[in-house]
C-alpha cells in the first residue's frame, strides 16, 4: 500500500467504505500512462501518491477488507494515443478492460491476452496490429477466464491465432481487420460456450470449416466480406442454435439444401447475398417461422418462390434481387407477412400480375419489382400501403399510366417513384386531377415513349429533387414553372421531341445557382430506403446528394442561342445540350462553370471560335463539342489537353486525317 493510503486508512480508522489500491497496481497503471503519447487529460487525476481507485476511468472492488483491487479500467473514447503497456496485464484483479475508440497503436500485449483475470476485453476501434498474440497452448493446462474479446476495427493482419486456452469465450468480434488465411477449424472444441463469432470485413480465404458445426451454442455467425469459397458444409447446420447466419459478399457456391435449412429453426437472419449460390429456395424455408431477414440477392438462384415462404410470418426484409427467379408471385400469400417492410425482387424473371396480397402488408416502406415481366394495370389496393416511401416498378410491362398516377397520388408517404420503361407509347396525362405526391423527391418516367407535353401537375411536386423524363416523345417547350421547383437539382429531359429556346427559367433553378441560398442550406436529404442505380454505372446511390447536379437537354429539337446566363449555374456538374439545333457562339460564360465534370455541346450548329478559357474547367472528365461549325485553334492547355481531337472536331478534313474521330462520340479524359 502506498504511504498516503496507509495514512488515510489509519486516519479514517474503521470508516469501513474506504479502500485503496496497492502500490503494484498504481505502478502498473502509471506504466500504462507512460506508454501513451497523448493521455487525453488522464494525468490530471492519475498522480503518484494518490489512491488509484479514485483515478479517472478506474473502478475498484468494494471490499470487505481494507485493500481494494482494480477491477475495471474503462477508458473508451478518451483520445488516447500511443501503445498499450503489458503492465495492464499484471493487474491481479482486473475484470474489465475497455480501451475502445482511441488511437492506440502497436501490438496487443500477450500479457493482456493471457490475463488470468480479465473477462471482458474491448480494444475495438484503434490501430492495433499486426500480430494478435496466440493464447497459451492447451498443453500448458491454462484456462483463461476471458468471455468477451472485441478486437474489431483494428489493423491485425496475420492469420487468426489459436485461442485454445480461452475455454470460456462467449463472444469474439474480429471484424474489420485484415486477418487472412483460413478460418480456424476448431473454435468450439476448446471454447464450447462460443455464442457470437464475427469475422466479417477481413481477408479470410479457403472454405468454411465444417468444425463450426460443433458450436452448439453459436447464435451469431458472421463472416461476410471475405474471400471464402466452396459450399456451406452440411455439418454447419448442426449448429442448431444459430439465429444469424451471414456470409454476404464472398465466393461461395452450391445450393441451399432443404434438409439442412430445416434444422435451423431459430434462424432470424439468413444473409447469403453477393455470392455464386445456385438452385432453388427450398420449400422447407417455411419452417423458419422466426425468420426476419432474408437476403439472397446477387446470386445465380432460380426457380419459383415456394408458397411456403408465406409461413415465415416474422419476415421484415426480403431481398431476392439480381437472380434468375421466375414464375408467378401469386403463389406466395403476402397477407401472412404483416411485418414486412422491404421487398426487393429487382432483376429477375417474374411474370404475371403484381399479387394483390402484397397490398395487405400495411407496414411496407420499400417495394422494388423493377426489371421483371410483370404486366397489367396497377391495383387500387396499392393505396393501402400508407407507409410506402420507395416504389420502383421500372422496366416491366405495366399499362395505363393515367390509372397508375391516379392511384399513386394518394400514397402520401412516397418519396421515390421509379416507374419508367412501362406504359409504352401511352400519352402522359395532363389533367389537374393529378395532385398529391407532396413528399415526392425522385420521379422517373423515363423510357416509356410517352407523348404529350411536360404536364403542369409536375409543378405541384414542391419537394422534387430529381426528375427523369428521358427517352419519351414529349413535345412542346420546357415550361417556365420549372424554376419554381425549389429543390430540383437533377433534370434529365434528353431524347424527346422538345422544342423552343432554352428558357431563362432554367437558369433560375435555385439548386443550380451559386449562392448558398436558403433552400440549399435547408437541404438535408434523407437516405433512400433502398439504394438506387444509374443505368450508366453500376454504382449504388444511397442519398440524393451523392448524385451530380445535372441538366440534360440532349437530343431534342431546341433552337436559338445558348443563353449566356447559363454561366451562372455554378453548381452544375453535368451539362448536356448536344444534338439540338442550337446556333451562335459558345458563350464565354460557360468557362465560369468551373465545377463541371461533363460538358457536351456536340451536334448542334454552333459557330465562332472555341473559347480559350475552357481550359479553366479543371474537373472535366467528359468533353465534346464536335459536330458543330466551330473554327479557330483548339485550346490545348489545362484539362483540355487530356482530350483527343475527336472531342473538338468532326469535319470532313478531320475525318480524312483521323477516321476514328467521326466514330467516337464522347471521349474520356
Ligand atoms: C466499451 O465502451 C464503449 C463506449 O462506452 C461501449 O460502447 C462498449 O459497449 C464498451 N464495451 C463493452 C464490452 O462493454
Ligand atoms: C465490442 O463487443 C462487445 C461484445 O459484442 C460489445 O458488448 C461492445 O459494445 C463492443 N464494443 C464497441 C465499442 O462496440
Ligand atoms: C463487431 O464490431 C463491429 C465494429 O467494429 C460492429 O459493427 C459489429 O456490429 C460487431 N458485431 C457484433 C456481432 O457485435
Ligand atoms: C472499420 O474500421 C474503420 C477504422 O477504424 C472505421 O472507420 C470503419 O467505420 C469500420 N467499419 C465498420 C464496418 O465497422
Ligand atoms: C453433423 O452433421 C453431419 C453431416 O450433416 C452428420 O453426419 C452428423 O451426424 C452431425 N453430428 C451431430 C452431432 O449432429
Ligand atoms: C406452410 O405452408 C403450406 C402452404 O403454403 C401449408 O400447407 C403448410 O401447412 C404450412 N406449414 C406450416 C408448418 O405452417
Ligand atoms: C407496423 O409498424 C408500427 C410502427 O413501426 C408498429 O407499431 C406495428 O407493430 C407494425 N405492425 C406490424 C403488423 O408489424
Ligand atoms: C424468363 O422466363 C421465360 C419463361 O417464362 C424464359 O423463356 C426465359 O428464358 C427466361 N429468361 C431468362 C433471362 O432466364
Ligand atoms: C406487354 O403486355 C402487352 C399487353 O398486356 C402484351 O401484348 C405484350 O406482349 C407484352 N410485352 C412483353 C414484352 O411481355
Ligand atoms: C386507364 O385508367 C383510367 C383511370 O383509372 C380509366 O378511366 C381507363 O378506363 C383505363 N384505361 C384502360 C384502357 O383500361
Ligand atoms: C419525334 O421525333 C422523331 C424523329 O424526329 C419522329 O420520328 C417522331 O414522330 C416524333 N414524335 C412526336 C410525338 O412528335
Ligand atoms: C464569370 O464570373 C465572374 C464572377 O462571378 C464575373 O465577374 C464574370 O463576368 C463572369 N464571366 C462571364 C464571361 O460571364
Amino acid at each position: 500500500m502506498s504511504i498516503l493510503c496507509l495514512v488515510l486508512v489509519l486516519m479514517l480508522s474503521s470508516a469501513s467504505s474506504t479502500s485503496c489500491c496497492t502500490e503494484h497496481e498504481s505502478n502498473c497503471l502509471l506504466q500504462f500512462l507512460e506508454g501513451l503519447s497523448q493521455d487525453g487529460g488522464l494525468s490530471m487525476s492519475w498522480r503518484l501518491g494518490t489512491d488509484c481507485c479514485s483515478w479517472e476511468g478506474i473502478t475498484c472492488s468494494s471490499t470487505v477488507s481494507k485493500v481494494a483491487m482494480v477491477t475495471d479500467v474503462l477508458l473508451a473514447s478518451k483520445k488516447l494515443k500511443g501503445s498499450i503497456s503489458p503492465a495492464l496485464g499484471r493487474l491481479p484483479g482486473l475484470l474489465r478492460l475497455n480501451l475502445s475508440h482511441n488511437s492506440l497503436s502497436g501490438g496487443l500485449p500477450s500479457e493482456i491476452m493471457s490475463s488470468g483475470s480479465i473477462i471482458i476485453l474491448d480494444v475495438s476501434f484503434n490501430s492495433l496490429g499486426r500480430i494478435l498474440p496466440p493464447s497459451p497452448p492447451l498443453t500448458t493446462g491454462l484456462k483463461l477466464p476471458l468471455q468477451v474479446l472485441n478486437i474489431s476495427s483494428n489493423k491485425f493482419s496475420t492469420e487468426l491465432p489459436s485461442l485454445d486456452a480461452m475455454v470460456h469465450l462467449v463472444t469474439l468480434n474480429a471484424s474489420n481487420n485484415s486477418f487472412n488465411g483460413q478460418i480456424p477449424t476448431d473454435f468450439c472444441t476448446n471454447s464450447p460456450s462460443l455464442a457470437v463469432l464475427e469475422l466479417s470485413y477481413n481477408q479470410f480465404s479457403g472454405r468454411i470449416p465444417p468444425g463450426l458445426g460443433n458450436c452448439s451454442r453459436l447464435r451469431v455467425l458472421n463472416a461476410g466480406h471475405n474471400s471464402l469459397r466452396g459450399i456451406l458444409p452440411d455439418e454447419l447446420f448442426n449448429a442448431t442454435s444459430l439465429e444469424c447466419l451471414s456470409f454476404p459478399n464472398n465466393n461461395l457456391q452450391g445450393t441451399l439444401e432443404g434438409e439442412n435449412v430445416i434444422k435451423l429453426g431459430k434462424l432470424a437472419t439468413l444473409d447469403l447475398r453477393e455470392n455464386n449460390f445456385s438452385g432453388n429456395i427450398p420449400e422447407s424455408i417455411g419452417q423458419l417461422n422466426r425468420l426476419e431477414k432474408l437476403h439472397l440477392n446477387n446470386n445465380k438462384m432460380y426457380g419459383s418462390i415456394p408458397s411456403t415462404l408465406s409461413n415465415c410470418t416474422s419476415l421484415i426484409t426480403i431481398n431476392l434481387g439480381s437472380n434468375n427467379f421466375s414464375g408467378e408471385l401469386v403463389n406466395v400469400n403476402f397477407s401472412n407477412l404483416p411485418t414486412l417492410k422491404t421487398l426487393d425482387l429487382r432483376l429477375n424473371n417474374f411474370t404475371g400480375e403484381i399479387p394483390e396480397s402484397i397490398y395487405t402488408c400495411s407496414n411496407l416502406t420499400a417495394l422494388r419489382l423493377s426489371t421483371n415481366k410483370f404486366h397489367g394495370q396497377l391495383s387500387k389496393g396499392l393505396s393501402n400501403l400508407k407507409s410506402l416511401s420507395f416504389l420502383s416498378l421500372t422496366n416491366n410491362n405495366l399499362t395505363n399510366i393515367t390509372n397508375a398516377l391516379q392511384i399513386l397520388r394518394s400514397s402520401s408517404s412516397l418519396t421515390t417513384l421509379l416507374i419508367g420503361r412501362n406504359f409504352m407509347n401511352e400519352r402522359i396525362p395532363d389533367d389537374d386531377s393529378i395532385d398529391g405526391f407532396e413528399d415526392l423527391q425522385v420521379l422517373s418516367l423515363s423510357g416509356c415513349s410517352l407523348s404529350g407535353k411536360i404536364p403542369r401537375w409536375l409543378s405541384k411536386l414542391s419537394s422534387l429533387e430529381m426528375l427523369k423524363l428521358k427517352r419519351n416523345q414529349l413535345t412542346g417547350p420546357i415550361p417556365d414553372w420549372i424554376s419554381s421547383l425549389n429543390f430540383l437539382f437533377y433534370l434529365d429531359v434528353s431524347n424527346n421531341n422538345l422544342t423552343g429556346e432554352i428558357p431563362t427559367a432554367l437558369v433560375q433553378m435555385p439548386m443550380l445557382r451559386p449562392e448558398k441560398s436558403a433552400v440549399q442550406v435547408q437541404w438535408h436529404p434523407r437516405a433512400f430506403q433502398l439504394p438506387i442505380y444509374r443505368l450508366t454505372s453500376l454504382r449504388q446511390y444511397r442519398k440524393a446528394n451523392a448524385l451530380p447536379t445535372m441538366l440534360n437537354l440532349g437530343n431534342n429539337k431546341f433552337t436559338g442561342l445558348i443563353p449566356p446566363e447559363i454561366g451562372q449555374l455554378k453548381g452544375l456538374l453535368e451539362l448536356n445540350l448536344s444534338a439540338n439545333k442550337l446556333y451562335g457562339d459558345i458563350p464565354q460564360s460557360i468557362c465560369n462553370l468551373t465545377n463541371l465534370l461533363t460538358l457536351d455541346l456536340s451536334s448542334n450548329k454552333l459557330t465562332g471560335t472555341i473559347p480559350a478559357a475552357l481550359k479553366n474547367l479543371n474537373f472535366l472528365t467528359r468533353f465534346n463539342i464536335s459536330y458543330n461549325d466551330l473554327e479557330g485553334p483548339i485550346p490545348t492547355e489545362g484539362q483540355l489537353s487530356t482530350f483527343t481531337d475527336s472531342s473538338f472536331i468532326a469535319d470532313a478534313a478531320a475525318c480524312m486525317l483521323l477516321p476514328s474521330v467521326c466514330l467516337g462520340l464522347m471521349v474520356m479524359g
Side-chain angles (χ1 to χ4, degrees):
M1 261 195 290
S2 69
I3 305 292
L4 183 98
C5 190
L6 205 63
V7 172
L8 251 164
V9 170
L10 290 176
M11 267 170 54
L12 299 173
S13 67
S14 58
S16 56
S17 67
T18 316
S19 55
C20 288
C21 70
T22 64
E23 198 169 344
H24 169 70
E25 288 176 312
S26 296
N27 284 338
C28 289
L29 291 170
L30 289 172
Q31 277 179 50
F32 168 69
L33 188 64
E34 261 168 38
L36 300 177
S37 56
Q38 260 181 43
D39 67 14
L42 282 190
S43 50
M44 307 269 278
S45 66
W46 289 36
R47 287 197 321 258
L48 189 65
T50 59
D51 176 14
C52 79
C53 291
S54 66
W55 293 358
E56 182 179 357
I58 307 299
T59 309
C60 293
S61 55
S62 52
T63 53
V64 250
S65 72
K66 293 288 180 295
V67 176
M69 274 207 199
V70 174
T71 56
D72 295 69
V73 175
L74 305 180
L75 298 170
S77 305
K78 295 280 188 220
K79 302 192 164 71
L80 307 181
K81 262 193 180 155
S83 57
I84 303 178
S85 164
L88 285 183
R90 294 188 212 113
L91 290 167
L94 187 60
L95 301 175
R96 285 165 291 263
L97 175 58
N98 191 341
L99 299 172
S100 68
H101 287 287
N102 284 296
S103 304
L104 298 166
S105 52
L108 179 61
S110 60
E111 287 83 349
I112 293 176
M113 277 286 278
S114 307
S115 152
S117 64
I118 297 178
I119 53 173
I120 297 180
L121 176 54
D122 188 349
V123 292
S124 60
F125 294 96
N126 279 288
S127 299
L128 300 173
R130 179 177 84 87
I131 301 170
L132 184 70
S135 79
L138 270 188
T139 47
T140 61
L142 262 178
K143 294 185 172 175
L144 305 180
L146 193 68
Q147 293 175 16
V148 173
L149 178 57
N150 192 343
I151 51 174
S152 66
S153 297
N154 275 289
K155 299 199 160 119
F156 294 107
S157 62
T158 53
E159 297 194 0
L160 195 60
S162 144
L163 302 174
D164 287 355
M166 296 186 181
V167 296
H168 297 289
L169 198 63
V170 175
T171 299
L172 171 60
N173 191 342
S175 74
N176 200 14
N177 281 284
S178 299
F179 283 113
N180 52 45
Q182 309 242 344
I183 295 178
T185 49
D186 52 358
F187 270 117
C188 298
T189 330
N190 301 317
S191 314
S193 311
L194 197 66
V196 177
L197 181 58
E198 160 77 272
L199 303 173
S200 55
Y201 294 99
N202 279 293
Q203 287 154 24
F204 286 110
S205 55
R207 292 166 179 270
I208 300 172
L212 289 176
N214 297 331
C215 298
S216 60
R217 307 223 179 130
L218 195 61
R219 288 187 293 103
V220 176
L221 174 56
N222 191 349
H225 304 269
N226 281 292
S227 302
L228 301 171
R229 61 190 169 81
I231 59 166
L232 297 177
D234 289 341
E235 290 82 359
L236 184 63
F237 296 86
N238 288 353
T240 52
S241 300
L242 277 174
E243 293 165 16
C244 169
L245 181 62
S246 182
F247 287 102
N249 206 317
N250 280 288
N251 297 319
L252 299 170
Q253 58 179 40
T255 58
L256 209 49
E257 294 301 327
E259 62 269 29
N260 280 338
V261 167
I262 211 166
K263 293 191 198 164
L264 303 184
K266 294 182 177 163
L267 217 53
T269 300
L270 179 60
D271 187 350
L272 303 175
R273 78 183 99 164
E274 293 159 23
N275 279 289
N276 288 314
F277 286 106
S278 55
N280 298 304
I281 297 180
E283 295 222 343
S284 66
I285 198 150
Q287 309 271 322
L288 306 184
N289 57 6
R290 299 190 196 172
L291 196 62
E292 293 177 0
K293 295 180 185 162
L294 178 62
H295 294 274
L296 300 175
N297 49 298
N298 299 78
N299 279 292
K300 294 178 177 144
M301 299 183 71
Y302 49 79
S304 58
I305 309 302
S307 61
T308 52
L309 191 67
S310 345
N311 291 352
C312 304
T313 52
S314 307
L315 276 168
I316 296 170
T317 305
I318 301 176
N319 191 342
L320 307 179
S322 252
N323 278 289
N324 203 5
F325 290 117
S326 58
E328 301 218 358
L329 219 47
V330 283
N331 294 339
V332 182
N333 184 0
F334 287 91
S335 52
N336 280 351
L337 311 180
T339 50
L340 198 62
K341 286 182 111 167
T342 302
L343 177 61
D344 193 346
L345 305 178
R346 73 185 279 267
L347 268 171
N348 277 292
N349 199 6
F350 289 113
T351 50
E353 302 209 356
I354 299 172
E356 201 65 25
S357 69
I358 284 185
Y359 306 128
T360 63
C361 302
S362 57
N363 271 6
L364 206 62
T365 57
L367 175 60
R368 173 151 57 195
L369 304 175
S370 56
T371 313
N372 278 288
K373 298 205 171 85
F374 291 110
H375 66 78
Q377 299 195 15
L378 219 55
S379 156
K380 282 200 172 61
L382 199 133
S383 43
N384 294 337
L385 303 181
K386 297 285 180 233
S387 305
L388 192 65
S389 167
F390 183 107
L391 176 63
S392 171
L393 304 172
T394 307
N395 201 9
N396 279 287
N397 193 12
L398 304 172
T399 50
N400 201 344
I401 189 171
T402 307
N403 177 57
L405 292 170
Q406 291 290 0
I407 288 163
L408 289 167
R409 73 194 173 107
S410 54
S411 298
S412 55
S413 304
L414 265 190
T415 57
T416 306
L417 178 59
L418 312 171
I419 51 176
R421 298 219 260 163
N422 286 289
F423 317 114
M424 290 312 284
N425 298 305
E426 295 184 18
R427 191 173 181 81
I428 195 164
D430 191 12
D431 58 278
D432 282 334
S433 68
I434 297 178
D435 52 13
F437 296 115
E438 295 90 4
D439 278 342
L440 204 60
Q441 291 161 7
V442 181
L443 174 62
S444 173
L445 280 169
S446 297
C448 306
S449 295
L450 298 172
S451 59
K453 299 197 155 100
I454 296 179
R456 190 165 181 89
W457 54 265
L458 286 174
S459 70
K460 294 187 255 176
L461 312 192
S462 56
S463 306
L464 208 58
E465 297 170 2
M466 297 175 62
L467 177 58
K468 299 173 70 169
L469 297 172
K470 68 177 173 187
R471 285 189 289 117
N472 284 296
Q473 308 228 16
L474 300 174
T475 51
I478 293 183
D480 278 346
W481 51 251
I482 201 80
S483 59
S484 70
L485 296 176
N486 273 337
F487 295 98
L488 194 64
F489 72 90
Y490 187 111
L491 177 63
D492 190 347
V493 295
S494 62
N495 295 286
N496 278 286
N497 286 1
L498 297 170
T499 51
E501 303 200 344
I502 295 175
T504 44
L506 271 187
V507 190
Q508 274 132 32
M509 284 170 58
M511 285 296 277
L512 303 182
R513 308 272 306 184
E515 313 89 55
K516 274 280 167 229
S517 57
V519 286
Q520 288 183 48
V521 174
Q522 279 168 24
W523 193 50
H524 299 295
R526 287 168 276 173
F528 301 126
Q529 248 79 27
L530 293 172
I532 66 173
Y533 300 82
R534 261 179 112 187
L535 272 184
T536 46
S537 69
L538 292 172
R539 233 190 108 180
Q540 296 186 357
Y541 295 88
R542 298 183 176 274
K543 263 185 160 190
N545 56 1
L547 285 140
T549 46
M550 75 109 90
L551 211 45
N552 191 346
L553 314 186
N555 213 352
N556 277 286
K557 294 177 175 160
F558 291 113
T559 57
L561 305 172
I562 300 177
E565 295 85 353
I566 205 148
Q568 294 167 17
L569 300 184
K570 288 223 171 147
L572 268 186
L573 298 184
E574 296 186 10
L575 177 62
N576 188 343
L577 304 175
S578 67
N580 280 290
K581 297 174 176 166
L582 302 171
Y583 51 80
D585 291 344
I586 297 178
Q588 290 290 335
S589 64
I590 274 194
C591 310
N592 265 359
L593 300 179
T594 47
N595 294 318
L596 280 183
L597 303 172
T598 298
L599 176 61
D600 193 347
L601 306 175
S602 63
S603 301
N604 279 290
K605 297 186 166 132
L606 300 171
T607 50
T609 54
I610 303 171
L614 281 175
K615 70 171 196 288
N616 298 340
L617 306 184
N618 288 328
F619 300 119
L620 275 186
T621 54
R622 289 183 192 192
F623 173 69
N624 194 351
I625 56 173
S626 66
Y627 296 91
N628 280 293
D629 298 321
L630 298 163
E631 55 196 38
I634 294 168
T636 51
E637 289 171 87
Q639 185 69 3
L640 294 188
S641 64
T642 62
F643 299 100
T644 64
D645 283 352
S646 62
S647 292
F648 298 92
I649 41 175
D651 57 31
C655 287
M656 302 262 289
L657 288 171
L658 287 166
S660 60
V661 164
C662 303
L663 299 172
L665 264 177
M666 243 180 231
V667 181
M668 297 291 276

